[in-house]
Amino acid sequence: MKPANFLYAATGGVLLLTVAAGVYFLFQTMSPSADIPSGPRNTVYTLSVEGFEPGQVSTYRLDGVLVVVWRRDFEQKVQSLELLGVEIDGNADLLEMVRTTDQIEIEPDLVLHFEWFVVSPINTGGYGCIVLSDAGDLGGFYDPCQDVHFDLWGRVRSGSTEADLQILPWNISDDASVITVDVGNAPRLD
């Protein structure tokens, strides 16, 4: 073999090895690392509420989503129904129903669950601040960043925003020990 041909072959071999190594490392950097979850995010979570006392409020963080679960006591249940325009004063049967059950039939095929309330505490109408539960002028929610007061249903009653808090889809088990909540459309912290 002539010396010139040998140099061409050696240069071609080194070039081929360099390209192969570059392609190998390129594909290695494209694969996800161990800290990146594979597949879609879970959006439905099950929360244990077995020990909840009436009037208790708890905040959960579920995959970057904050969720407030509030079990209203008797006075809060009465106040929440009055906010919806349900006349309770003087109606002993309705008061007893409010005391003993967690839901009421407002109209045919419209059942209102008023003892348990599940909401996202992020005020999407402002700076994205996290609101305080069981606070404010109305005893519902309060955004200290913008001085916004929400009622027991998460509706704006005073302040500089018009966006209500987002009520999350949820279900409670028959024995009231587990709440299943869907956070698929809830605002995320990350």
Side-chain angles (χ1 to χ4, degrees):
M1 179 182 264
K2 293 183 183 180
N5 289 341
F6 175 75
L7 286 176
Y8 288 132
T11 303
V14 169
L15 182 63
L16 184 64
L17 280 173
T18 304
V19 169
V23 168
Y24 172 78
F25 286 113
L26 176 68
F27 282 110
Q28 285 297 316
T29 60
M30 290 173 49
S31 62
S33 62
D35 63 337
I36 298 175
S38 63
R41 285 184 166 175
N42 186 19
T43 62
V44 178
Y45 292 90
T46 303
L47 305 172
S48 175
V49 293
E50 192 168 0
F52 265 54
E53 296 294 323
Q56 183 176 345
V57 181
S58 290
T59 302
Y60 298 90
R61 183 176 179 147
L62 308 172
D63 192 25
V65 176
L66 288 180
V67 175
V68 170
V69 176
W70 189 341
R71 182 177 184 188
R72 297 177 175 140
D73 59 19
F74 176 71
E75 290 80 19
Q76 292 165 342
K77 290 195 299 187
V78 169
Q79 184 182 0
S80 68
L81 287 175
E82 288 174 344
L83 286 170
L84 295 178
V86 177
E87 293 292 327
I88 294 181
D89 290 335
N91 190 340
D93 293 335
L94 187 57
L95 274 174
E96 185 58 32
M97 184 182 295
V98 169
R99 186 180 313 281
T100 59
T101 186
D102 69 336
Q103 62 188 17
I104 189 170
E105 187 172 348
I106 301 293
E107 297 171 2
D109 298 330
L110 178 61
V111 176
L112 177 67
H113 297 273
F114 56 89
E115 180 174 1
W116 293 92
F117 188 63
V118 181
V119 67
S120 169
I122 298 175
N123 182 3
T124 58
Y127 304 117
C129 293
I130 299 170
V131 300
L132 304 174
S133 305
D134 199 9
D137 292 343
L138 305 167
F141 301 91
Y142 175 67
D143 182 354
C145 299
Q146 292 187 291
D147 193 33
V148 179
H149 297 268
F150 300 88
D151 66 10
L152 288 168
W153 294 103
R155 299 178 300 182
V156 174
R157 290 298 175 221
S158 69
S160 60
T161 186
E162 295 180 4
D164 297 336
L165 297 178
Q166 184 175 354
I167 298 173
L168 303 175
W170 62 276
N171 289 314
I172 192 162
S173 62
D174 291 336
D175 60 353
S177 64
V178 173
I179 284 182
T180 305
V181 61
D182 184 357
V183 297
N185 293 326
R188 295 189 176 276
L189 292 175
D190 51 7

